[in-house]
Amino acid sequence: MQMKSMRLKKLSRLLVILCLSAFLAALSGTPTVMAQVSPRKKSTTPPIPAKPSAPAPFAPPRPVEPFRCERYVLYRGQQIPCDSIVRQDAERLRPIIEDVPAAVLELNKYQKNRRDIRKAAYFGTAGIVLATAAFFISQQYHDSASELQQQGDTSGAQAQSSKSDIFKALTWGGLALTGGTIVFGISLLRTNELHLGNAVREFNDARPETPIELQFTTEIRF
């Protein structure tokens, strides 16, 4: 009996060992499952383009003056523009000569004559417009008088002819106005430069220690 009990104990121990070894073998043979991170798919949607920036605006080209004459004043070693940016009026000379009344008076005469020259140009343009319009109207009355004369309407032809003569006189009047303003403008333009020279001379006589000098630059550009 004692022998059987010992065998049973050995068998039970052997079974326990076999069960444990089988359990351990089962654990060791089980594949370990590891979580795999699937690679991130690249987006096939094209990116939204950025808003295009507007190109820099082109600077407008400066107008080229083919015939250009600039006047300067040489004063205390500095070359100063004589005229304003609007027209040739020698206005930038005024702050220099304002302490000499005689020089300022000559400058005022110079600028007044420049304004008179511009007015003469307006009158000359009006004379050209008047002469052109009167000429065409006179021709219409002349043609109408010729037609009435051919039709035998003598009184009507004379009336139209009289109107034609009136507009012919206006044509010659417009041409005379234009011619007169041209002669006046040219003569005044030639003599007006003397007032500018007199203004400089009066200032130099009153301020001999700081004289001024007019300088001219003429350019022809293509």
Side-chain angles (χ1 to χ4, degrees):
M1 291 294 294
Q2 190 175 1
M3 292 294 293
K4 289 182 179 179
S5 61
M6 291 178 65
R7 288 180 180 177
L8 289 174
K9 288 181 180 179
K10 289 181 179 180
L11 288 174
S12 60
R13 289 177 181 175
L14 181 61
L15 289 174
V16 172
I17 293 171
L18 290 175
C19 290
L20 290 174
S21 59
F23 179 74
L24 293 174
L27 288 177
S28 62
T30 304
T32 303
V33 180
M34 298 181 64
Q36 296 181 356
V37 180
S38 59
R40 187 176 181 181
K41 295 183 179 180
K42 295 183 178 180
S43 177
T44 58
T45 305
I48 300 175
K51 184 178 180 181
S53 58
F58 292 99
R62 297 182 62 182
V64 178
E65 299 178 3
F67 302 99
R68 185 178 181 182
C69 179
E70 293 184 352
R71 302 185 297 184
Y72 297 93
V73 176
L74 188 61
Y75 179 63
R76 292 183 176 179
Q78 295 182 355
Q79 192 179 47
I80 305 171
C82 180
D83 302 311
S84 64
I85 60 175
V86 180
R87 59 179 63 91
Q88 287 188 339
D89 52 4
E91 182 60 28
R92 293 187 179 181
L93 186 63
R94 186 178 297 275
I96 300 175
I97 65 174
E98 60 183 358
D99 294 335
V100 182
V104 174
L105 181 61
E106 292 292 335
L107 179 61
N108 291 337
K109 291 180 180 179
Y110 172 80
Q111 293 180 345
K112 179 181 179 300
N113 289 339
R114 295 286 298 186
R115 291 191 294 268
D116 292 340
I117 291 173
R118 288 197 300 272
K119 292 178 182 178
Y122 298 149
F123 280 108
T125 304
I128 292 176
V129 173
L130 175 62
T132 304
F135 174 76
F136 284 108
I137 296 174
S138 174
Q139 286 297 114
Q140 291 180 356
Y141 281 121
H142 178 74
D143 295 340
S144 178
S146 299
E147 292 179 0
L148 293 175
Q149 187 69 30
Q150 292 177 0
Q151 295 174 2
D153 189 356
T154 306
S155 60
Q158 290 179 353
Q160 296 295 321
S161 180
S162 299
K163 293 179 181 179
S164 177
D165 293 338
I166 293 174
F167 282 99
K168 283 182 181 179
L170 290 176
T171 301
W172 288 108
L175 293 176
L177 177 62
T178 301
T181 53
I182 290 175
V183 173
F184 171 77
I186 292 175
S187 61
L188 187 59
L189 187 62
R190 288 182 176 179
T191 58
N192 193 37
E193 296 300 323
L194 296 176
H195 292 292
L196 185 60
N198 291 337
V200 174
R201 189 178 303 107
E202 292 290 345
F203 177 82
N204 291 340
D205 292 341
R207 301 286 189 273
E209 67 280 2
T210 55
I212 59 178
E213 179 184 353
L214 285 177
Q215 294 181 342
F216 300 87
T217 59
T218 305
E219 297 178 358
I220 300 178
R221 298 182 179 182
F222 299 96

